[in-house]
Amino acid sequence: MKPQLLKVSTNIVHSFSARRDTEPDVNSHWHYHQEAELVYFKSGSGTQFIGDSIEHFKTGDVVLVGANLPHYWKFDDEYFAGGPSTADVFVVHFNDNFWGDVFLNLPENKAIKDTLDNSKRGIRLTGGTDEQIGRLIENIISNEGPAKIMLLMQVITALGSHPQRQALASMGFHYNFQEAEKDRINAIYNYTIANFKNKIKLDEIAAIANVSPNSFCRFFKSRSHKTYSQFINEIRVGHACKLLIDNQLNVKEICYESGFYNFASFHKYFKQITGKSPLGYQKTFVRN
């Protein structure tokens, strides 16, 4: 499938880009760029798409996305149209060799080079894992001069050696960048995200993709390396994770609110995708 190529702007004063976003819809579409992207969600939650990985993201998460790895963060509805929640995101873009190949190949910098190599699949620390890394990223935004670069080095080193870091995209993920398919794939993503709580029929989603129902499943799997059923179930489970953490509904209510119409199926797919039962997942975040 084909994301949009974005150009990340820099200026003559800085060798890499660092900013703070308080709007939930900045670059809110499936895209990629030549720069690595470091993100700290000081406040925010929603569904995260990185390569072929689909997961729930939440306040406190730190993510490093390697160069040319497609990604997209869709914030929850509560962050839009005057909702009760406010987004607060720190974003750093940098060319992974802006400091030069000689610098990265110094033996003392092996940890930095290895982390950048591993970021080709995406690296994530979940919220609450290490608040210090989040504060370092905040300081990148506010500092100038050599301190800005040294802080970035600290973050990359800490992220790469953290015992609870998580790889995101699968080992075999490879994106086939075909410009002609960009709009078709974007339409599938956007329609599915907007309608995952409903039963989406094959002819319905095939019409959105402008292909025949007989061709749709083969088309989608060849581009995304997963079936459409797997794709939509991952979105539904990601939404269920958020509801479980919010702890406002019981598990059966969450099942139906997430687009599952069968509790046994919900339980099966939830454990298959997260490795835990819904209640087991909830207990890791909610203390009664």
Side-chain angles (χ1 to χ4, degrees):
M1 55 180 72
K2 175 67 176 76
Q4 180 180 353
L5 171 64
L6 292 186
K7 288 291 290 180
V8 176
S9 62
T10 56
N11 55 52
I12 60 172
V13 178
H14 299 112
S15 56
F16 60 91
S17 165
R19 70 174 195 265
R20 183 179 188 177
D21 292 335
T22 55
E23 298 294 330
D25 57 353
V26 175
N27 292 334
S28 58
H29 53 277
W30 186 234
H31 68 281
Y32 71 102
H33 34 70
Q34 295 176 350
E35 296 79 8
E37 180 169 338
L38 176 66
V39 184
Y40 168 48
F41 295 95
K42 187 171 184 179
S43 176
S45 66
T47 304
Q48 168 182 283
F49 302 80
I50 296 180
D52 57 356
S53 168
I54 303 173
E55 296 188 8
H56 177 71
F57 73 88
K58 65 182 186 303
T59 294
D61 281 8
V62 173
V63 182
L64 178 60
V65 178
N68 297 314
L69 178 62
H71 54 280
Y72 166 33
W73 286 280
K74 181 185 182 299
F75 279 77
D76 292 325
D77 292 342
E78 65 200 59
Y79 290 89
F80 295 91
S85 300
T86 304
D88 192 5
V89 185
F90 293 80
V91 184
V92 180
H93 291 104
F94 60 96
N95 188 300
D96 59 11
N97 68 344
F98 79 92
W99 27 42
D101 292 333
V102 173
F103 177 81
L104 277 184
N105 286 316
L106 293 173
E108 292 84 357
N109 291 331
K110 185 178 185 301
I112 294 176
K113 190 173 188 299
D114 288 347
T115 302
L116 294 175
D117 287 341
N118 292 333
S119 73
K120 294 174 183 178
R121 293 175 56 196
I123 301 172
R124 177 194 186 195
L125 289 186
T126 57
T129 303
D130 194 327
E131 295 179 0
Q132 182 182 1
I133 292 179
R135 287 193 294 270
L136 288 172
I137 296 172
E138 289 188 55
N139 289 335
I140 293 174
I141 310 298
S142 59
N143 271 271
E144 296 293 338
K148 204 176 189 73
I149 295 177
M150 288 188 285
L151 284 164
L152 179 59
M153 292 170 61
Q154 280 185 264
V155 171
I156 295 172
T157 303
L159 188 60
S161 62
H162 202 286
Q164 294 181 312
R165 68 191 182 279
Q166 171 194 358
L168 295 171
S170 64
M171 286 286 290
F173 177 77
H174 176 73
Y175 209 88
N176 183 19
F177 298 108
Q178 296 182 25
E179 182 64 31
E181 296 173 351
K182 178 185 70 175
D183 293 339
R184 180 177 294 172
I185 296 300
N186 283 344
I188 295 171
Y189 267 59
N190 292 334
Y191 187 84
T192 306
I193 291 166
N195 295 279
F196 70 87
K197 294 182 184 180
N198 305 320
K199 286 185 176 179
I200 300 178
K201 297 179 180 178
L202 177 59
D203 56 353
E204 179 182 353
I205 191 62
I208 294 297
N210 197 26
V211 298
S212 71
N214 289 337
S215 302
F216 175 81
C217 293
R218 184 172 63 255
F219 165 79
F220 187 82
K221 188 170 184 180
S222 67
R223 273 63 175 188
S224 66
H225 307 285
K226 64 179 68 177
T227 66
Y228 183 70
S229 293
Q230 183 182 357
F231 172 69
I232 194 170
N233 282 334
E234 288 177 353
I235 293 175
R236 288 168 173 161
V237 167
H239 184 69
C241 288
K242 174 194 179 301
L243 296 179
L244 286 163
I245 294 170
D246 289 345
N247 198 26
Q248 300 296 313
L249 303 172
N250 65 46
V251 175
K252 280 199 172 181
E253 289 172 324
I254 289 172
C255 164
Y256 299 118
E257 179 64 22
S258 301
F260 290 97
Y261 290 83
N262 180 293
F263 188 69
S265 294
F266 169 61
H267 203 276
K268 170 188 170 184
Y269 288 118
F270 192 96
K271 191 164 187 178
Q272 188 178 87
I273 291 168
T274 68
K276 299 178 180 179
S277 69
L279 283 176
Y281 180 90
Q282 187 180 53
K283 286 177 181 177
T284 64
F285 293 97
V286 179
R287 298 188 183 276
N288 296 322

